[in-house]
Amino acid sequence: MNTRSQGTCQLYICVVLYNTKIEQIRSLEGFQKLTGARKAVLVICDNSTEEEIISHNQQYAAGQSGMLYHGGGGNIGLPKNYNYVLREVAPKDAWVMLSDDDTLFSDAYLSEVLRCIEEPGKEKAWIVTGLIKSGDGSAFSPKKGNQIFANEFLDQPGLYENIYAVNSGLTISR
């Protein structure tokens, strides 16, 4: 595993899989650019139940620099995997980015996440999220307001309070 030196921010990207091969992660190429540059560690939390996929993923991860593999012992759910990464993997000064296997993050988004955690502005954010669009290009997340069923979406980056965001792409200060 490659990590950056002590005293600098570290990004741990947690991808939870279920009966999916690591190579099928839509943002794998972007994540590997970050791990190759030692800007991130990719943590694969495998909830798979199919032995062939589990074996394949274990072997694939073993051959990758900057990638950690954790088999959850079946489909244990997202929260247990997130908590595993927070408790057992990411150091106290790290950031953890949550990802699913089918979200495609642009290089620009990944660069912006790194910028936010490495060069915080006057007001430090403890949670970073992107402006997420659905497959048809319409706004999907985050939403404004203090109600989970609000229909007013954010369309500009900035510092906000009282917003609701989906998990995928959410980056949290440890």
Side-chain angles (χ1 to χ4, degrees):
M1 170 179 74
N2 291 323
T3 59
R4 296 183 320 155
S5 62
Q6 283 287 35
T8 60
C9 282
Q10 296 177 348
L11 177 62
Y12 287 73
I13 303 169
C14 172
V15 181
V16 180
L17 299 179
Y18 177 72
N19 291 335
T20 302
K21 292 181 178 179
I22 292 171
E23 303 96 295
Q24 294 173 301
I25 297 171
R26 285 195 68 202
S27 290
L28 183 61
E29 184 179 328
F31 296 158
Q32 287 177 320
K33 286 179 188 175
L34 296 180
T35 61
R38 296 184 175 168
K39 299 268 184 192
V41 174
L42 181 56
V43 184
I44 303 298
C45 293
D46 197 348
N47 276 355
S48 296
T49 56
E50 296 179 18
E51 288 302 321
E52 179 184 323
I53 290 176
I54 294 167
S55 177
H56 172 85
N57 286 344
Q58 288 172 333
Q59 290 176 16
Y60 183 91
Q64 300 295 309
S65 177
M67 184 182 293
L68 297 176
Y69 178 88
H70 173 67
N75 190 3
I76 62 171
L78 296 173
K80 283 190 178 183
N81 285 293
Y82 295 162
N83 282 317
Y84 167 78
V85 173
L86 290 168
R87 271 195 314 264
E88 306 295 330
V89 179
K92 297 266 187 226
D93 64 343
W95 287 73
V96 175
M97 178 179 174
L98 309 176
S99 177
D100 54 29
D101 62 338
D102 63 353
T103 300
L104 180 60
F105 298 103
S106 68
D107 288 342
Y109 177 70
L110 295 174
S111 293
E112 183 63 14
V113 166
L114 287 176
R115 187 197 65 73
C116 286
I117 66 178
E118 291 175 344
E119 305 168 16
K122 291 189 308 184
E123 296 185 45
K124 179 154 177 81
W126 299 106
I127 299 175
V128 176
T129 187
L131 301 174
I132 300 170
K133 298 186 188 245
S134 65
D136 67 6
S138 60
F140 185 73
S141 178
K143 294 181 178 185
K144 293 182 193 178
N146 57 7
Q147 296 179 16
I148 198 161
F149 298 109
N151 287 320
E152 191 176 350
F153 295 95
L154 294 172
D155 58 3
Q156 295 296 316
L159 287 173
Y160 295 93
E161 293 184 14
N162 297 322
I163 66 168
Y164 294 89
V166 297
N167 287 359
S168 197
L170 204 61
T171 306
I172 305 163
S173 174
R174 168 80 168 79

